[in-house]
Amino acid sequence: MTAHAERILIIDFGSQVTQLIARRVREAGVFCEIKPFNALGDGLTAPGLKGIILSGGPASVGDEGSPRAPQQVFELGVPVLGICYGQMCMVTQLGGVAAGSTEREFGRAFVTMKANSPLFEGMAASGEKEEVWMSHGDRVTELPPGFEVIGSSPNAPFAAFANVSQGFYGVMFHPEVVHTPRGATLLNNFVRGIAGCAGQWTMAAYKDEAIAAICQQVGPEGRVICGLSGGVDSSVAAVLIHEAIGDRLTCVFVDTGMMRHGEADEVVTMFRDTYNIKLIHRDASDLFIDALEGVEDPEVKRKTIGRLFIDVFDEAATESGGADFLAQGTLYPDVIESVSATGGPSVTIKSHHNVGGLPERMKMSLVEPLRSLFKDEVRVLGQELGLPENFVGRHPFPGPGLAIRIPGKITREKLNTLRAADRIYLDEIRKAGLYDTIWQAFAVLLPVKTVGVMGDGRTYDHVCALRAVTSTDGMTADYYPYPHDFLGRTANRIINEVNGINRVVYDITSKPPGTIEWE
Ligand code: XMP
């Protein structure tokens, strides 16, 4: 059986956390896709459909024109799980009654189990309470025929219900969020137990499938060019494609001069020497630094870097003899079409990629072997491919690199100063064993000089800000609560060892309202 042989369809009604449902289902070893309720494509008809999950959403079933699932969903003979708004759709579409309510319920709640349901296997038994995260405005007043209550809370008498013979289940709470501590068990019960998926979606299986798919797409003669950034996605994509087509892959690494200390060397050593991948290394740092001279506006920095990157990449690719395909490390969150709060389809393509114009310019077909994966799956795939831990576990690093960590004008001297401080900071993080707990950490060199005293002398140097956040996807983030002794030790080292910095501050802004980067 292949990794994709069975699948769960998640119908999206626009909840903020629909992606989390997909992640939990994948963690249960089952492939799943998210499709907007009004653009299901072949979601209901393609082979392998084992179950359907209806997501939450911002609408109320009482609103005129509020979204519904296609009625066919309930006629296919596959189990269906409705979550929150999805549960309300299930109720109204199957002949029950649900309506908007003025009493909304948000936050932690306890559901008393009313049955030993297969949905709650390994969770609280009948009569016991289960902690859950509620977030709903609608209320069920009458269950559809054939349904029974399997869980209730004081505010939500129909918190969970089921039609066991048809495999239809509804929960008013969100099993996909961490605030429902055993929510992952519930989703696992649905996809593995109730929907009967074998759970063969592993990265080992995916790897073989992806290699076969690359070979088929590229053909026996096709050549692929792949930009390496030193980040996880492009590294994993490159190694995977190399396993598929060997020497017909050429990688291009453009050193923008905006990389961290030692990173450029690491990339070259790893791919050329360890993996024996054909690699063109362009040290274009002078070109980039000169072009950025005097530029202060962050967006102009981004655009300048993006434009130059495409020029350099294109030139290197052409010199190497060209290729038929351009590889990109696009991930699943970038391709999911999400539903907007108004119910209309809105294609959200998060494009932080500063090289977004590359495919148009290069006029090549794309090879995107990571298109169906989440970031954490890419890391596991990287491990499967034998990439070392320090590569697969890497913090994200923005395309414009250090350029957006030096607010104001960029100079070679400032870049060197920042690199030295950042190196010490990351070294201390690793020594303290914190690297993997933190989602992203970096130093910022501020365009502010302050007075200090060192030995008997006065100093007048730059301020360095340290940033560290926890996050799951970079969309929201909390600052990392370092112990004071860690901050003290790191600040001391930076001030003592780096010329040009005499003061260190720690950024305790979360996102929102801040962003992770300073620019
Ligand atoms: P912000 O600063 O928007 O960052 O909270 C969220 C995540 O995106 C990264 N980031 C970028 N990545 N090009 C990139 O490739 C960019 O221009 C860019 N700006 C921010 C940031 O490092 C964080 O991981």
Side-chain angles (χ1 to χ4, degrees):
M1 192 191 256
T2 62
H4 272 93
E6 47 188 30
R7 67 187 173 92
I8 294 286
L9 172 69
I10 299 168
I11 298 183
D12 184 23
F13 289 107
S15 158
Q16 299 292 314
V17 287
T18 302
Q19 283 196 29
L20 291 181
I21 306 175
R23 293 170 70 139
R24 297 289 99 81
V25 172
R26 300 265 184 110
E27 279 161 21
V30 177
F31 179 69
C32 61
E33 292 169 297
I34 300 175
K35 302 272 186 184
F37 70 91
N38 50 3
L40 291 179
D42 64 353
L44 295 175
T45 50
L49 183 66
K50 299 284 280 183
I52 297 171
I53 299 178
L54 307 175
S55 88
S60 163
V61 278
D63 295 346
E64 220 184 288
S66 56
R68 295 289 183 272
Q71 201 63 26
Q72 199 195 348
V73 160
F74 305 104
E75 294 159 1
L76 291 167
V78 299
V80 182
L81 170 66
I83 295 174
C84 209
Y85 182 81
Q87 182 207 36
M88 300 299 155
C89 282
M90 180 182 271
V91 168
T92 52
Q93 294 189 242
L94 294 177
V97 181
S101 158
T102 45
E103 289 161 57
R104 299 180 152 256
E105 189 180 7
F106 294 104
R108 196 162 75 127
F110 288 88
V111 168
T112 304
M113 302 306 189
K114 298 290 179 195
N116 284 322
S117 169
L119 192 65
F120 301 141
E121 185 75 40
M123 300 168 69
S126 184
E128 292 176 1
K129 286 188 166 68
E130 185 73 39
E131 184 180 338
V132 301
W133 186 261
M134 288 281 189
S135 166
H136 63 89
D138 289 347
R139 235 157 231 268
V140 179
T141 50
E142 203 183 310
L143 285 178
F147 277 74
E148 57 168 340
V149 173
I150 56 172
S152 65
S153 74
N155 283 329
F158 300 98
F161 52 72
N163 178 332
V164 179
S165 63
Q166 293 207 276
F168 295 161
Y169 292 81
V171 291
M172 204 171 266
F173 52 88
H174 285 276
E176 68 275 29
V177 303
V178 289
H179 313 293
T180 298
R182 290 197 278 191
T185 306
L186 187 153
L187 286 166
N188 187 71
N189 289 339
F190 179 71
V191 299
R192 301 285 294 268
I194 295 164
C197 293
Q200 301 195 335
W201 171 257
T202 62
M203 281 305 112
Y206 178 82
K207 182 184 111 180
D208 297 338
E209 228 177 75
I211 289 173
I214 294 165
C215 290
Q216 192 178 6
Q217 187 190 356
V218 174
E221 306 281 327
R223 290 187 308 154
V224 179
I225 196 130
C226 175
L228 281 180
S229 68
V232 183
D233 308 339
S234 61
S235 302
V236 172
V239 175
L240 189 65
I241 296 169
H242 187 245
E243 288 230 349
I245 61 164
D247 262 3
R248 286 183 284 132
L249 168 72
T250 304
C251 287
V252 176
F253 170 60
V254 177
D255 183 353
T256 59
M258 305 294 146
M259 307 281 285
R260 289 180 141 147
H261 174 88
E263 240 165 18
D265 288 343
E266 250 180 68
V267 171
V268 176
T269 310
M270 163 76 65
F271 290 92
R272 190 179 282 161
D273 304 343
T274 311
Y275 278 94
N276 220 356
I277 292 179
K278 257 199 260 165
L279 175 68
I280 302 173
H281 172 206
R282 274 295 146 92
D283 181 355
S285 40
D286 286 339
L287 183 74
F288 282 83
I289 296 171
D290 291 345
L292 288 171
E293 202 187 309
V295 176
E296 284 194 45
D297 183 298
E299 284 313 299
V300 180
K301 285 181 184 174
R302 279 191 171 82
K303 290 207 174 88
T304 308
I305 292 172
R307 179 173 46 78
L308 285 182
F309 181 92
I310 294 173
D311 286 348
V312 177
F313 187 95
D314 192 5
E315 196 185 283
T318 311
E319 270 173 35
S320 79
D324 313 289
F325 296 89
L326 176 68
Q328 289 214 315
T330 316
L331 303 190
Y332 194 45
D334 299 327
V335 297
I336 298 175
E337 288 183 30
S338 63
V339 184
S340 75
T342 54
S346 65
V347 184
T348 317
I349 301 186
K350 274 183 270 164
S351 191
H352 249 325
H353 290 257
N354 309 85
V355 293
L358 202 51
E360 293 79 22
R361 165 83 162 261
M362 307 288 291
K363 294 197 184 65
M364 289 182 222
S365 312
L366 291 179
V367 178
E368 297 178 298
L370 313 179
R371 259 183 92 80
S372 57
L373 303 186
F374 287 106
K375 188 89 174 183
D376 37 1
E377 292 174 318
V378 174
R379 293 191 203 280
V380 179
L381 179 59
Q383 285 161 345
E384 283 292 332
L385 289 163
L387 272 160
E389 273 311 311
N390 67 335
F391 253 86
V392 291
R394 242 176 210 191
H395 290 172
F397 187 70
L402 302 185
I404 54 168
R405 293 177 180 173
I406 302 179
K409 291 182 183 141
I410 298 161
T411 63
R412 283 184 174 74
E413 194 190 354
K414 280 190 190 170
L415 280 165
N416 288 335
T417 307
L418 176 57
R419 244 179 230 124
D422 188 75
R423 181 186 188 186
I424 293 169
Y425 179 36
L426 286 178
D427 181 44
E428 287 297 327
I429 290 174
R430 286 208 174 85
K431 275 206 252 170
L434 296 175
Y435 189 85
D436 294 334
T437 325
I438 292 168
W439 198 73
Q440 196 172 6
F442 53 88
V444 181
L445 189 68
L446 302 190
V448 177
K449 283 188 157 189
T450 69
V451 174
V453 50
M454 265 184 125
D456 291 328
R458 174 188 188 272
T459 59
Y460 186 56
D461 281 326
H462 284 282
V463 180
C464 170
L466 303 181
R467 182 84 165 128
V469 294
T470 53
S471 177
T472 48
D473 52 12
M475 304 296 283
T476 60
D478 284 324
Y479 76 87
Y480 187 75
Y482 282 123
H484 277 270
D485 62 337
F486 171 88
L487 287 171
R489 192 167 58 240
T490 307
N492 249 336
R493 270 197 68 191
I494 292 175
I495 293 164
N496 285 329
E497 295 176 34
V498 183
N499 278 333
I501 292 175
N502 68 353
R503 194 177 293 268
V504 172
V505 296
Y506 185 52
D507 178 359
I508 56 165
T509 319
S510 290
K511 173 183 178 175
T515 53
I516 296 176
E517 303 289 346
W518 276 46
E519 287 200 327

